[in-house]
Each structure stands twice: as C-alpha cells, then as structure tokens.
Amino acid sequence: MNKAKTDVLIVGSGVAGLYCALHIPEEKNVTIITKARLEECDSYLAQGGICVLKDDGDYKAWYGDTLHAGHYENNPQAVDLMIRSSQSIISDLAGYGVRFAVDEFGKYKFTREGAHSTARILYHEDIIGKEITSHLLDEVKKRPNITLHENITMLDILIGQYPDGSDCCRGIIATCEPGTPLALYAEAMTNNGKCLFPFEATEVVWACGGIGGLFPHTTNYPHLTGDALGIALAHGIPLQDPDYIQFHPTALYSPKPGRAFLISESVRGEGGILLDKNGNRFTDELQPRDKLTEAIKKQMQKDGTDYVWLSMEKISPYEVKTHFKNIYQHCKDLGYDCTQEAIPVVPAQHYFMGGVYVDMNSLTSLKALYAIGETSCNGVHGRNRLASNSLIETLVFSRRAAQHISKQLYGEGTVPVKTWPVDYTHYKDTAALFADYKFKINMEIERFRRQR
C-alpha cells in the first residue's frame, strides 16, 4: 500500500502554520493538516493588533514593556529577536496584501493596549487576526507545493532513528473520516469509525494552538485541547512554564456556555473604562492583563456579581463603529448599543504562555520536530504576555523554524532513518487516549505550580 508522505508536515492551519509553510522552499512538498476547518483557529479571532518597532528609539521601551508585563521571567534573547525582526515581518505581510490602518497621508496608524508605554500596535479595524490569516491562507492556496487537509486529528508522532542511534520525528499517527482523501492510507479503524493512518514526513511542525478547550470558560475554540503537549509528555519531550495561563480581562459576559466573545484590549487602550455595579470606576484599565484580571475578580467578589461593566463613553461613536466595528455589531446583535451603554465583561481563559520547550529555531528536544505559535514556549512572554506580542512572536519564530527546516531538508533530512511498525490497537480508543493526554497535561501544570 502507498503511504501518506511529505517533506514537511505542519499540524495546524493558523498564522503559525501558514506562515511557516510559505517560507519552505517551493521545490519541497508541504502538507498542512488541521483538526477542524481551516478557518477554525484562534488566529482568526485576534482583534487588537500586532506590535512593530516604530523606530530605533522605541526598542528600549518595547523591550522594557515586554519584560515588565512578563514579570522579568522572559528569555532576553527571544525578546530581542522578536523586536528586531518585527519590521521585516510587517513588510512581508504587506507584500501578501495585508491591510493595516493608515492615516490621510498613507502612514500607518498605531493604537495602544494595556502595559504599553506608547502606541506601537498596527491594526485593521478590530479583526487583525482575520485580516492576516485570510491573506496568508490565500497565498498558501496559490502554492502548488502546499497541500491542505481539514478534519484530521493527530493522535501521536512517529519516532525514527538516525544511523548514529539518535531519535527523530518521522511523522504522525492520525485519524480522518472514511471516504476522504487520506482515508486511502488507512491501516486500521478507531472504535468510533474513523480511519487510522500514518503520515510520514522528513520534518514535522506542531502549530496546534493552545489549551483553551481544557477550560469551561475560554475565548478559544473548544477543539484546541493541547494535544501536542500530551503527546510531548508521553515521549519525554519537555514543556516550559505550562502553568503560565493568561486570562483576558474583558470577555463579553454571557450566562450561556461556549466560547466567550473577546472585547479587545484596544477598547481600553482607546479610552474604555471599567465600572463596578454602582457605575464607579475602580481600577487602572491599562495595567498588565494578569493584574487587571485580579482587580476585576476582586471587584466581582466585593459586588457579589458575575461581571463588571465596560463603558466606551470616552470613545467617540464614530471611532467605536469604525475601529471596533465587529465588536459594535456583535454587541448590538445581543441587544447592547455600546455607544450608548456599558456592556458586561468578565475574565476568561485566553492565552497560553507556556508550551513545548523550543530553542531559538523553534526546534524541540526531538530532532526534526518543531513547535511554533501558542503550542511552543521560547520564553518571549515570560509569566504574562504583553498585549499584541502574540502575533508578531508567532510570525518571527515560525519563519525562523522554516529557515532552519529548509537547511535540514538538504542535509540531515537526506540521511536514511530506521522506523518501526506501529501497534494500532493503542490508538483505536481515541477518547481514552485524549483523556490520558489531558490527565498528563494537568499533572504537569500542577507539578510546575508546586515548584514555583
């Protein structure tokens, strides 16, 4: 039987995976798989913006803001690389057609968010994630060397061995629906009728997103359950800071279960204020996210409420309806006119600062296995992410991963690798497998917490 094979296999279709794929040499085959639909990734949900080094004079301030927000637990080398690479990333995105807000003279407009000492954030209305991700996806679809597959679930990685005895990653074990293209390579079936198959690759990239699906209240998609972290732990691949989990201070409150709608930090950066149950302002809205989340929770406890109020009274209605058009419309659909009245907000799990430990090339401890985006931890964010650093960090280190992979494809990737048969009985009960991964992740989070 023919095998599913590719040069580079990327697990995840968000900004990280797409941008990495675009920087692999076009003579090499790249396959991107995603657990749900292509657009169902947290990259599409980003509202606020993306940081950039405005000029050399802002380097020290941006560096300082990042470390201050991260409680000085950041990796200085990673922060430096992010800042110094930011301008070339923005130029690259503009080349793909990404549109950033500009003034009447055609110059970029900047907004400010919490814990930033100045406005250095580029934006596109309040849908920067959709703007960037959709343009990258359009570019990916133009490339004949890149293949996309939806609704593919990774269950494990394939381990190979170089002639020198060192281990490496040589692909994944995955499931798909019967009748879909990759079902042709099925080796077995799961207990719930999915096709089990191996997907071999010379280099593998985890771009699987965060862990929001493990939480009852989150701004993430529910299928983002930290699968790569569970697999890493099963293979002894170390994680870094898995207990550093960021709650966004202002998600729109709803008594209904499901993914929470985010109210961008830019709203507060442009003048939005937080009010208690009596309509009184109670805190500094532009302090770091962890501090603000703590302040909101204390106020909720004091007031005996499930939320606080966010008022946009200091922002002009025109600004609300243009800069925050998506937020305005969503609130209006739920019966709130945020140009006239305050809206209820509550903290919700939002971002994962920890992840699979990687070096400055996004390489994990296992050869030929990379991790990028929210799946990885290179130390940029420290204990608490500075607002709008996530997109630029993701893009900088996704490109560095692609550059390192490209070198390996013409070197180490040509070395013959020994692989072993797969026991598919281990993967037939996917519910039990993912329950085990979830247990491992939670145990590792708790282990890190106890060590602090």
Side-chain angles (χ1 to χ4, degrees):
M1 179 184 290
N2 291 330
K3 294 182 178 181
K5 297 182 69 174
T6 189
D7 293 314
V8 181
L9 178 61
I10 299 174
V11 185
S13 63
V15 161
L18 297 173
Y19 197 63
C20 182
L22 290 172
H23 286 83
I24 301 296
E26 292 192 39
E27 64 268 23
K28 297 295 182 179
N29 292 320
V30 180
T31 302
I32 299 174
I33 65 169
T34 186
K35 195 176 180 182
R37 292 175 54 249
L38 291 171
E39 294 82 4
E40 290 179 334
C41 57
D42 279 356
S43 298
Y44 264 88
L45 305 178
Q47 293 179 344
I50 180 170
C51 292
V52 66
L53 184 64
K54 293 192 296 185
D55 52 55
D56 291 343
D58 189 38
Y59 175 90
K60 186 176 180 180
W62 185 5
Y63 184 91
D65 290 347
T66 299
L67 266 62
H68 176 68
H71 297 269
Y72 300 93
E73 295 185 24
N74 320 66
N75 179 339
Q77 183 185 5
V79 176
D80 177 75
L81 283 170
M82 176 187 71
I83 295 173
R84 295 189 186 281
S85 305
S86 63
Q87 291 179 347
S88 66
I89 294 290
I90 297 303
S91 295
D92 210 14
L93 294 179
Y96 292 135
V98 174
R99 300 161 296 172
F100 301 106
V102 296
D103 62 20
E104 61 270 29
F105 304 106
K107 293 185 177 181
Y108 287 145
K109 295 172 68 175
F110 298 92
T111 189
R112 183 185 176 196
E113 297 187 25
H116 285 270
S117 57
T118 187
R120 64 168 66 89
I121 300 166
L122 297 175
Y123 62 95
H124 177 86
E125 297 174 356
D126 55 353
I127 51 170
I128 188 64
K130 181 179 179 181
E131 177 67 15
I132 293 175
T133 312
S134 60
H135 279 87
L136 293 181
L137 183 57
D138 287 344
E139 188 66 25
V140 160
K141 288 178 177 179
K142 297 175 187 176
R143 303 286 178 94
N145 68 311
I146 303 176
T147 304
L148 296 156
H149 291 284
E150 296 179 313
N151 301 306
I152 310 296
T153 299
M154 173 180 64
L155 302 183
D156 203 353
I157 53 174
L158 294 168
I159 301 294
Q161 193 174 73
Y162 289 120
D164 65 3
S166 61
D167 288 343
C168 63
C169 185
R170 268 304 177 264
I172 67 169
I173 306 293
T175 66
C176 66
E177 294 288 345
T180 55
L182 291 177
L184 295 171
Y185 307 108
E187 295 279 353
M189 301 294 287
T190 66
N191 291 348
N192 59 350
K194 300 279 184 75
C195 295
L196 266 169
F197 67 99
F199 204 129
E200 296 183 0
T202 305
E203 308 285 331
V204 176
V205 183
W206 280 340
C208 317
I211 62 173
L214 301 179
F215 292 79
H217 301 289
T218 178
T219 62
N220 296 185
Y221 277 106
H223 63 271
L224 301 177
T225 51
D227 303 347
L229 276 67
I231 295 170
L233 290 169
H235 289 275
I237 299 168
L239 308 186
Q240 179 68 38
D241 300 330
D243 56 329
Y244 285 172
I245 301 165
Q246 186 176 73
F247 281 70
H248 196 286
T250 53
L252 186 64
Y253 172 78
S254 172
K256 298 178 182 178
R259 181 169 60 83
F261 181 78
L262 186 69
I263 304 298
S264 171
E265 191 152 343
S266 292
V267 170
R268 287 177 279 115
E270 293 295 331
I273 58 173
L274 290 166
L275 309 174
D276 65 13
K277 67 177 183 179
N278 298 315
N280 298 315
R281 187 180 181 191
F282 62 88
T283 191
D284 172 12
E285 292 81 8
L286 295 181
Q287 58 191 310
R289 286 180 175 177
D290 57 339
K291 299 294 185 183
L292 185 57
T293 294
E294 183 180 347
I296 292 173
K297 287 183 175 180
K298 284 183 179 178
Q299 191 63 45
M300 287 163 50
Q301 187 176 31
K302 179 181 177 181
D303 289 347
T305 59
D306 294 327
Y307 50 83
V308 295
W309 296 95
L310 175 64
S311 170
M312 304 184 197
E313 63 189 60
K314 296 181 180 294
I315 309 174
S316 73
Y318 174 80
E319 181 74 5
V320 171
K321 293 178 181 179
T322 55
H323 187 164
F324 305 114
K325 182 167 66 174
N326 184 51
I327 292 172
Y328 170 76
Q329 189 59 53
H330 186 87
C331 290
K332 190 174 182 181
D333 291 344
L334 295 177
Y336 299 108
D337 183 347
C338 56
T339 65
Q340 302 292 325
E341 59 187 328
I343 58 175
V345 293
V346 63
Q349 189 281 335
H350 179 56
Y351 194 83
F352 187 43
M353 279 82 64
V356 180
Y357 172 79
V358 294
D359 65 14
M360 294 300 96
N361 293 311
S362 300
L363 183 64
T364 72
S365 66
L366 180 64
K367 290 182 179 179
L369 176 64
Y370 298 77
I372 54 179
E374 205 170 346
T375 306
S376 68
C377 181
N378 52 44
V380 159
H381 304 304
R383 197 199 305 176
N384 177 60
R385 176 175 66 93
L386 179 67
S388 289
N389 265 357
S390 51
L391 284 172
I392 194 64
E393 176 270 320
T394 289
L395 293 165
V396 167
F397 287 93
S398 295
R399 186 171 67 180
R400 290 184 67 85
Q403 291 167 343
H404 193 263
I405 288 167
S406 299
K407 294 176 183 177
Q408 303 309 305
L409 288 172
Y410 298 104
E412 191 176 81
T414 62
V415 177
V417 174
K418 179 182 178 181
T419 56
W420 292 269
V422 177
D423 178 10
Y424 289 98
T425 58
H426 177 65
Y427 303 109
K428 288 187 176 181
D429 188 346
T430 56
L433 186 68
F434 282 116
D436 182 56
Y437 288 156
K438 180 178 180 179
F439 176 78
K440 284 183 168 67
I441 294 167
N442 286 326
M443 289 295 291
E444 189 70 355
I445 289 172
E446 194 56 39
R447 185 176 75 84
F448 267 77
R449 281 179 178 157
R450 288 197 303 267
Q451 289 177 348
R452 299 293 180 189

